[in-house]
Amino acid sequence: MFKSNLPLVSALFAGALFATGSVTRANEDHHAKSESQTGSVAANLDPVRAVMDSLDKDFAADRLGNAHALAEALNDAVKDLDKDPSLDAAKKKRVQGYVKNIAHFADEMHDAADAKNAPVALKWEKKLKTQVDLLVKQFGKAKTRTQPAAPDTASETK
């Protein structure tokens, strides 16, 4: 049957919190942004890149089992990027469009993965990657901090 993806989602969320410096506020409100993170584009993009790296590794190894959890983690990671103070009005509007597309493409990808349709899931993952790349470009040359290791999903089944 289905293996629970809750531990993976929890691990990804914990990694995102660690990467953004929000660990101290995690128990109060897991959606809150820490004051040290405000304006830190690199910190905001680290979780996005970590999820995409995990997706790339899983799909390259023909592992589709975590696509749903990773899609949800990606949506959580991008949802507030339009609030970054470095964005002008035009970039903010583009970011909002990319976030909307990412949500749609991620949903299609994980639906195909849940149906064990690897070619279709890969097609959506490529579209998703393109949208994420366009999203990241809106923030210029933001450097990322050293990323904690993505969870190992090698034990997941296809």
PDB file of all heavy atoms in Angstrom, residues 58-77:
ATOM      1  N   ASP A  58      15.725  11.628  -7.194  1.00  0.00           N
ATOM      2  CA  ASP A  58      14.715  10.570  -7.193  1.00  0.00           C
ATOM      3  C   ASP A  58      14.323  10.178  -8.613  1.00  0.00           C
ATOM      4  O   ASP A  58      14.242   8.998  -8.938  1.00  0.00           O
ATOM      5  CB  ASP A  58      13.473  11.001  -6.416  1.00  0.00           C
ATOM      6  CG  ASP A  58      13.637  10.870  -4.922  1.00  0.00           C
ATOM      7  OD1 ASP A  58      14.723  10.437  -4.465  1.00  0.00           O
ATOM      8  OD2 ASP A  58      12.684  11.200  -4.195  1.00  0.00           O
ATOM      9  N   PHE A  59      14.058  11.161  -9.455  1.00  0.00           N
ATOM     10  CA  PHE A  59      13.615  10.864 -10.814  1.00  0.00           C
ATOM     11  C   PHE A  59      14.744  10.241 -11.634  1.00  0.00           C
ATOM     12  O   PHE A  59      14.498   9.373 -12.461  1.00  0.00           O
ATOM     13  CB  PHE A  59      13.047  12.114 -11.488  1.00  0.00           C
ATOM     14  CG  PHE A  59      11.618  12.395 -11.102  1.00  0.00           C
ATOM     15  CD1 PHE A  59      11.165  12.201  -9.806  1.00  0.00           C
ATOM     16  CD2 PHE A  59      10.718  12.850 -12.029  1.00  0.00           C
ATOM     17  CE1 PHE A  59       9.851  12.450  -9.451  1.00  0.00           C
ATOM     18  CE2 PHE A  59       9.398  13.105 -11.689  1.00  0.00           C
ATOM     19  CZ  PHE A  59       8.969  12.908 -10.400  1.00  0.00           C
ATOM     20  N   ALA A  60      15.979  10.672 -11.403  1.00  0.00           N
ATOM     21  CA  ALA A  60      17.117  10.076 -12.116  1.00  0.00           C
ATOM     22  C   ALA A  60      17.270   8.604 -11.755  1.00  0.00           C
ATOM     23  O   ALA A  60      17.692   7.797 -12.580  1.00  0.00           O
ATOM     24  CB  ALA A  60      18.405  10.838 -11.795  1.00  0.00           C
ATOM     25  N   ALA A  61      16.899   8.249 -10.526  1.00  0.00           N
ATOM     26  CA  ALA A  61      16.986   6.861 -10.072  1.00  0.00           C
ATOM     27  C   ALA A  61      15.662   6.124 -10.277  1.00  0.00           C
ATOM     28  O   ALA A  61      15.490   5.011  -9.788  1.00  0.00           O
ATOM     29  CB  ALA A  61      17.380   6.818  -8.596  1.00  0.00           C
ATOM     30  N   ASP A  62      14.740   6.748 -11.000  1.00  0.00           N
ATOM     31  CA  ASP A  62      13.426   6.154 -11.287  1.00  0.00           C
ATOM     32  C   ASP A  62      12.651   5.839 -10.004  1.00  0.00           C
ATOM     33  O   ASP A  62      11.953   4.838  -9.915  1.00  0.00           O
ATOM     34  CB  ASP A  62      13.577   4.918 -12.162  1.00  0.00           C
ATOM     35  CG  ASP A  62      12.267   4.551 -12.861  1.00  0.00           C
ATOM     36  OD1 ASP A  62      11.445   5.452 -13.120  1.00  0.00           O
ATOM     37  OD2 ASP A  62      12.062   3.351 -13.125  1.00  0.00           O
ATOM     38  N   ARG A  63      12.791   6.708  -8.996  1.00  0.00           N
ATOM     39  CA  ARG A  63      12.023   6.590  -7.755  1.00  0.00           C
ATOM     40  C   ARG A  63      10.960   7.674  -7.755  1.00  0.00           C
ATOM     41  O   ARG A  63      11.269   8.865  -7.721  1.00  0.00           O
ATOM     42  CB  ARG A  63      12.928   6.753  -6.531  1.00  0.00           C
ATOM     43  CG  ARG A  63      13.907   5.622  -6.338  1.00  0.00           C
ATOM     44  CD  ARG A  63      14.639   5.734  -5.004  1.00  0.00           C
ATOM     45  NE  ARG A  63      15.258   7.027  -4.802  1.00  0.00           N
ATOM     46  CZ  ARG A  63      16.548   7.290  -4.987  1.00  0.00           C
ATOM     47  NH1 ARG A  63      17.371   6.339  -5.386  1.00  0.00           N
ATOM     48  NH2 ARG A  63      17.031   8.498  -4.774  1.00  0.00           N
ATOM     49  N   LEU A  64       9.713   7.265  -7.784  1.00  0.00           N
ATOM     50  CA  LEU A  64       8.614   8.222  -7.852  1.00  0.00           C
ATOM     51  C   LEU A  64       7.860   8.348  -6.530  1.00  0.00           C
ATOM     52  O   LEU A  64       6.995   9.194  -6.384  1.00  0.00           O
ATOM     53  CB  LEU A  64       7.619   7.807  -8.946  1.00  0.00           C
ATOM     54  CG  LEU A  64       8.197   7.610 -10.344  1.00  0.00           C
ATOM     55  CD1 LEU A  64       7.110   7.137 -11.296  1.00  0.00           C
ATOM     56  CD2 LEU A  64       8.839   8.874 -10.850  1.00  0.00           C
ATOM     57  N   GLY A  65       8.197   7.511  -5.566  1.00  0.00           N
ATOM     58  CA  GLY A  65       7.430   7.410  -4.330  1.00  0.00           C
ATOM     59  C   GLY A  65       7.350   8.662  -3.484  1.00  0.00           C
ATOM     60  O   GLY A  65       6.412   8.839  -2.724  1.00  0.00           O
ATOM     61  N   ASN A  66       8.322   9.562  -3.593  1.00  0.00           N
ATOM     62  CA  ASN A  66       8.318  10.768  -2.765  1.00  0.00           C
ATOM     63  C   ASN A  66       7.834  12.005  -3.509  1.00  0.00           C
ATOM     64  O   ASN A  66       7.891  13.103  -2.958  1.00  0.00           O
ATOM     65  CB  ASN A  66       9.723  11.032  -2.219  1.00  0.00           C
ATOM     66  CG  ASN A  66      10.107  10.021  -1.180  1.00  0.00           C
ATOM     67  OD1 ASN A  66       9.292   9.593  -0.381  1.00  0.00           O
ATOM     68  ND2 ASN A  66      11.361   9.622  -1.203  1.00  0.00           N
ATOM     69  N   ALA A  67       7.389  11.858  -4.729  1.00  0.00           N
ATOM     70  CA  ALA A  67       7.004  13.018  -5.543  1.00  0.00           C
ATOM     71  C   ALA A  67       5.916  13.846  -4.863  1.00  0.00           C
ATOM     72  O   ALA A  67       5.962  15.077  -4.887  1.00  0.00           O
ATOM     73  CB  ALA A  67       6.549  12.569  -6.930  1.00  0.00           C
ATOM     74  N   HIS A  68       4.957  13.190  -4.260  1.00  0.00           N
ATOM     75  CA  HIS A  68       3.854  13.923  -3.622  1.00  0.00           C
ATOM     76  C   HIS A  68       4.375  14.781  -2.467  1.00  0.00           C
ATOM     77  O   HIS A  68       4.076  15.982  -2.386  1.00  0.00           O
ATOM     78  CB  HIS A  68       2.794  12.938  -3.121  1.00  0.00           C
ATOM     79  CG  HIS A  68       1.569  13.593  -2.605  1.00  0.00           C
ATOM     80  ND1 HIS A  68       0.451  13.768  -3.380  1.00  0.00           N
ATOM     81  CD2 HIS A  68       1.282  14.152  -1.401  1.00  0.00           C
ATOM     82  CE1 HIS A  68      -0.472  14.387  -2.667  1.00  0.00           C
ATOM     83  NE2 HIS A  68       0.011  14.636  -1.462  1.00  0.00           N
ATOM     84  N   ALA A  69       5.162  14.204  -1.590  1.00  0.00           N
ATOM     85  CA  ALA A  69       5.692  14.942  -0.437  1.00  0.00           C
ATOM     86  C   ALA A  69       6.627  16.060  -0.888  1.00  0.00           C
ATOM     87  O   ALA A  69       6.596  17.163  -0.327  1.00  0.00           O
ATOM     88  CB  ALA A  69       6.419  13.990   0.500  1.00  0.00           C
ATOM     89  N   LEU A  70       7.437  15.792  -1.893  1.00  0.00           N
ATOM     90  CA  LEU A  70       8.360  16.813  -2.384  1.00  0.00           C
ATOM     91  C   LEU A  70       7.602  17.944  -3.073  1.00  0.00           C
ATOM     92  O   LEU A  70       7.984  19.120  -2.948  1.00  0.00           O
ATOM     93  CB  LEU A  70       9.396  16.204  -3.323  1.00  0.00           C
ATOM     94  CG  LEU A  70      10.421  15.298  -2.635  1.00  0.00           C
ATOM     95  CD1 LEU A  70      11.255  14.542  -3.661  1.00  0.00           C
ATOM     96  CD2 LEU A  70      11.300  16.095  -1.694  1.00  0.00           C
ATOM     97  N   ALA A  71       6.527  17.625  -3.783  1.00  0.00           N
ATOM     98  CA  ALA A  71       5.703  18.663  -4.412  1.00  0.00           C
ATOM     99  C   ALA A  71       5.106  19.579  -3.347  1.00  0.00           C
ATOM    100  O   ALA A  71       5.095  20.808  -3.502  1.00  0.00           O
ATOM    101  CB  ALA A  71       4.605  18.026  -5.262  1.00  0.00           C
ATOM    102  N   GLU A  72       4.616  18.997  -2.262  1.00  0.00           N
ATOM    103  CA  GLU A  72       4.061  19.805  -1.173  1.00  0.00           C
ATOM    104  C   GLU A  72       5.141  20.662  -0.520  1.00  0.00           C
ATOM    105  O   GLU A  72       4.911  21.838  -0.208  1.00  0.00           O
ATOM    106  CB  GLU A  72       3.383  18.912  -0.139  1.00  0.00           C
ATOM    107  CG  GLU A  72       2.088  18.327  -0.630  1.00  0.00           C
ATOM    108  CD  GLU A  72       1.434  17.379   0.364  1.00  0.00           C
ATOM    109  OE1 GLU A  72       1.974  17.193   1.476  1.00  0.00           O
ATOM    110  OE2 GLU A  72       0.378  16.836   0.027  1.00  0.00           O
ATOM    111  N   ALA A  73       6.312  20.092  -0.316  1.00  0.00           N
ATOM    112  CA  ALA A  73       7.421  20.848   0.278  1.00  0.00           C
ATOM    113  C   ALA A  73       7.833  22.004  -0.635  1.00  0.00           C
ATOM    114  O   ALA A  73       8.136  23.102  -0.153  1.00  0.00           O
ATOM    115  CB  ALA A  73       8.600  19.925   0.547  1.00  0.00           C
ATOM    116  N   LEU A  74       7.835  21.778  -1.942  1.00  0.00           N
ATOM    117  CA  LEU A  74       8.187  22.830  -2.889  1.00  0.00           C
ATOM    118  C   LEU A  74       7.157  23.957  -2.835  1.00  0.00           C
ATOM    119  O   LEU A  74       7.515  25.134  -2.807  1.00  0.00           O
ATOM    120  CB  LEU A  74       8.296  22.264  -4.305  1.00  0.00           C
ATOM    121  CG  LEU A  74       8.677  23.268  -5.390  1.00  0.00           C
ATOM    122  CD1 LEU A  74      10.056  23.872  -5.109  1.00  0.00           C
ATOM    123  CD2 LEU A  74       8.673  22.593  -6.751  1.00  0.00           C
ATOM    124  N   ASN A  75       5.882  23.596  -2.810  1.00  0.00           N
ATOM    125  CA  ASN A  75       4.842  24.618  -2.733  1.00  0.00           C
ATOM    126  C   ASN A  75       4.977  25.449  -1.465  1.00  0.00           C
ATOM    127  O   ASN A  75       4.811  26.672  -1.497  1.00  0.00           O
ATOM    128  CB  ASN A  75       3.449  23.993  -2.826  1.00  0.00           C
ATOM    129  CG  ASN A  75       3.128  23.541  -4.227  1.00  0.00           C
ATOM    130  OD1 ASN A  75       3.612  24.099  -5.198  1.00  0.00           O
ATOM    131  ND2 ASN A  75       2.309  22.520  -4.340  1.00  0.00           N
ATOM    132  N   ASP A  76       5.289  24.806  -0.356  1.00  0.00           N
ATOM    133  CA  ASP A  76       5.513  25.539   0.895  1.00  0.00           C
ATOM    134  C   ASP A  76       6.726  26.457   0.791  1.00  0.00           C
ATOM    135  O   ASP A  76       6.731  27.566   1.322  1.00  0.00           O
ATOM    136  CB  ASP A  76       5.702  24.580   2.073  1.00  0.00           C
ATOM    137  CG  ASP A  76       4.404  23.990   2.569  1.00  0.00           C
ATOM    138  OD1 ASP A  76       3.315  24.520   2.226  1.00  0.00           O
ATOM    139  OD2 ASP A  76       4.459  22.984   3.305  1.00  0.00           O
ATOM    140  N   ALA A  77       7.757  25.997   0.103  1.00  0.00           N
ATOM    141  CA  ALA A  77       8.998  26.766   0.001  1.00  0.00           C
ATOM    142  C   ALA A  77       8.859  28.013  -0.875  1.00  0.00           C
ATOM    143  O   ALA A  77       9.541  29.006  -0.640  1.00  0.00           O
ATOM    144  CB  ALA A  77      10.123  25.884  -0.528  1.00  0.00           C
TER     145      ALA A  77
END
